[in-house]
């Protein structure tokens, strides 16, 4: 049985926010102060997350990504990775992290069977890092990345949101990724509530990289989700994720679960369904499965950022998980 929306899009990927707390305060992401808005009891427990993933895996959901807030601030996250890895049908468990606590948990994450690691890193400059994130943390991230090299099945992805202040680092980041065997992905800033970033289109990035490099569309586009892959000098790949200038809604295969247990069908739509209520009111797996399959039919066809509209979401990126 598959999970299919009304446009025939097959849902195979769930992104789960395990906390709304974060240890950074990136100015383009956060809404207000960096304190949790949720009570401990509001947050899904690991057993509840695992139950939902098990139900969804019976529908063909194969890939799970843990995000936040910052997922590694949630206690014992490797335990959750282990629980998800033991679910039949789940082929990939991934984490998106800012890397600040990665060094501390790396060994346990590997032991737990984590398949894939994405690290968000917008700059290689210590002072700029501090300005963007509010924390003097670049060294911790770089040292964790150094230790993480080669430990995972797939290359580590470095996710860089393109901002006016890091455009000049596009080439340095490219070199950094090449030297370390990372897959660099540039991400367009998306104007959700709260964040105050400035949009820079992917064409800008391409223009800068093409001054000194041969950047060509890669022949095989199947391996990296929403990213359009390019080869650079025929010796390195990079990904460009351009939700605004080149939306990829037609191929969207994902849904999200927020840390307070809401099923969210599109990053840019506040249409949410209360899974936590079902989980905590004695609902059977079959009934939850039926509810999810009905709700998924309401997945919006597309978002409207490309028309220059600002998203009006109630939640900011920090509360959805990116
Ligand atoms: N704390 C984790 C991290 O930093 O990777 C996971 C959550 S964070 C919200 C996930 C990703 O969303 C990060 O790469 C972050 O840079 C990105 N992000 C946050 N706000 C964004 C925005 N407005 N537009 C595009 N990406 C954004």
């Amino acid at each position: 049985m598959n999970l299919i929306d009304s446009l025939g899009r097959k849902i195979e990927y769930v992104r789960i926010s395990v906390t709304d707390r974060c240890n950074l305060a990136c100015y383009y992401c956060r809404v207000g102060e960096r304190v949790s808005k949720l009570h401990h009891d509001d947050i899904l427990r690991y057993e509840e997350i695992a139950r939902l993933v098990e139900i969804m895996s019976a529908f063909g959901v194969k890939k799970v990504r843990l995000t936040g807030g910052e997922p590694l601030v949630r206690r014992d996250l490797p335990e959750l990775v282990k629980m998800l890895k033991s679910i039949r049908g789940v082929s990939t468990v991934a984490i998106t992290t800012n890397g600040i606590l990665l060094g501390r948990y790396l060994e346990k994450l590997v032991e737990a069977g984590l398949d894939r690691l994405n690290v968000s890193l917008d700059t290689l400059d210590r002072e700029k890092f501090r300005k963007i994130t509010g924390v003097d943390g670049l060294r911790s991230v770089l040292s964790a990345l150094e230790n993480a090299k080669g430990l995972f099945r797939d290359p580590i992805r470095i996710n860089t949101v393109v901002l006016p202040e890091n455009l000049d680092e596009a080439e340095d980041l490219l070199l950094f990724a090449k030297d370390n065997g990372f897959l660099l992905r540039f991400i367009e800033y998306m104007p959700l509530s709260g964040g105050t970033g400035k949009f820079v289109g992917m064409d800008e990035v391409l223009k800068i990289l093409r001054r000194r490099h041969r950047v060509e569309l890669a022949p095989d586009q199947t391996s990296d989700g929403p990213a359009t892959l390019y080869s650079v000098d025929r010796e390195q790949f990079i990904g460009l994720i351009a939700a605004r200038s080149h939306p990829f809604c037609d191929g969207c295969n994902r849904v999200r679960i927020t840390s307070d247990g809401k099923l969210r069908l599109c990053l840019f739509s506040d249409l949410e369904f209360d899974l936590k209520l079902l989980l905590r009111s004695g609902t059977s797996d079959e009934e939850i499965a039926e509810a999810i399959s009905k709700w998924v039919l309401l997945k919006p066809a597309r978002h409207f950022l490309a028309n220059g509209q600002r998203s009006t979401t109630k939640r900011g990126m920090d509360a959805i998980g990116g």
Side-chain angles (χ1 to χ4, degrees):
M1 205 172 30
N2 288 317
L3 198 53
I4 297 187
D5 77 2
S6 60
L7 299 176
R9 292 174 295 189
K10 196 161 140 194
I11 308 302
E12 294 178 312
Y13 175 18
V14 60
R15 295 176 67 100
I16 303 175
S17 174
V18 295
T19 178
D20 66 331
R21 286 186 298 136
C22 190
N23 45 2
L24 296 184
C26 303
Y27 75 87
Y28 60 84
C29 176
R30 70 175 169 179
V31 178
E33 288 307 304
R34 185 76 344 212
V35 288
S36 174
K37 287 147 244 157
L38 295 173
H39 189 263
H40 185 68
D41 285 342
D42 296 332
I43 304 258
L44 288 188
R45 295 188 284 270
Y46 286 171
E47 296 70 28
E48 292 173 324
I49 293 175
R51 183 176 169 206
L52 286 175
V53 170
E54 190 149 10
I55 291 169
M56 293 174 94
S57 75
F59 274 134
V61 170
K62 301 188 189 81
K63 180 173 163 190
V64 184
R65 175 172 302 283
L66 302 177
T67 174
E70 167 52 38
L72 291 175
V73 302
R74 175 118 184 220
R75 198 197 288 192
D76 295 332
L77 193 78
E79 282 307 307
L80 177 61
V81 172
K82 211 182 282 174
M83 287 161 85
L84 300 179
K85 281 297 293 176
S86 72
I87 295 173
R88 204 154 53 98
V90 172
S91 62
T92 305
V93 178
I95 287 186
T96 293
T97 172
N98 60 33
I100 296 282
L101 293 173
L102 182 61
R104 194 183 299 173
Y105 292 110
L106 199 49
E107 208 172 306
K108 284 201 168 137
L109 289 169
V110 172
E111 268 170 33
L114 185 74
D115 297 294
R116 195 182 264 197
L117 182 67
N118 288 11
V119 178
S120 306
L121 181 63
D122 297 334
T123 177
L124 296 169
D125 179 276
R126 182 175 171 186
E127 186 49 25
K128 227 188 264 182
F129 186 97
R130 197 189 57 71
K131 279 199 179 128
I132 294 173
T133 66
V135 174
D136 182 13
L138 180 65
R139 255 191 268 173
S140 312
V141 181
L142 294 183
S143 112
L145 276 170
E146 179 62 32
N147 293 333
K149 269 196 269 181
L151 292 183
F152 298 96
R153 191 184 71 185
D154 296 332
I156 294 173
R157 286 155 169 75
I158 302 294
N159 289 340
T160 302
V161 177
V162 183
L163 304 163
E165 61 267 45
N166 65 7
L167 250 186
D168 63 337
E169 284 191 77
E171 188 154 0
D172 292 347
L173 286 156
L174 186 74
L175 256 177
F176 171 72
K178 183 178 162 204
D179 288 349
N180 289 289
F182 301 144
L183 175 67
L184 175 65
R185 306 187 320 163
F186 290 107
I187 300 177
E188 269 179 6
Y189 165 73
M190 296 173 255
L192 269 93
S193 311
T196 50
K198 270 217 179 91
F199 175 75
V200 181
M202 277 308 156
D203 294 349
E204 281 292 309
V205 178
L206 279 175
K207 204 159 76 187
I208 287 178
L209 295 180
R210 280 182 169 143
R211 282 187 201 145
R212 309 249 308 257
H213 301 273
R214 185 167 172 174
V215 184
E216 301 164 303
L217 205 58
D220 180 6
Q221 290 291 334
T222 51
S223 64
D224 210 50
T228 303
L229 288 176
Y230 287 81
S231 82
V232 180
D233 301 328
R234 305 225 163 141
E235 52 184 23
Q236 174 183 11
F237 287 107
I238 58 167
L240 303 188
I241 302 182
R244 182 156 154 188
S245 61
H246 300 94
F248 33 84
C249 305
D250 289 347
C252 184
N253 67 344
R254 60 187 63 185
V255 292
R256 294 173 163 79
I257 298 175
T258 62
S259 53
D260 55 344
K262 305 285 195 307
L263 179 73
R264 197 171 165 104
L265 303 171
C266 168
L267 186 54
F268 301 97
S269 161
D270 279 329
L271 193 63
E272 292 181 350
F273 301 93
D274 199 343
L275 289 166
K276 189 177 66 190
L277 187 73
L278 298 188
L279 288 165
R280 296 186 185 174
S281 59
T283 312
S284 70
D285 286 2
E286 292 71 26
E287 286 165 326
I288 295 178
E290 198 183 321
I292 293 174
S293 61
K294 280 199 184 128
W295 290 337
V296 156
L297 292 174
L298 300 171
K299 185 172 163 68
R302 53 186 44 83
H303 63 74
F304 298 100
L305 293 187
N307 304 340
Q309 270 170 259
R310 202 176 165 86
S311 165
T312 54
T313 52
K314 278 189 281 186
R315 293 179 194 258
M317 192 70 95
D318 57 337
I320 308 171

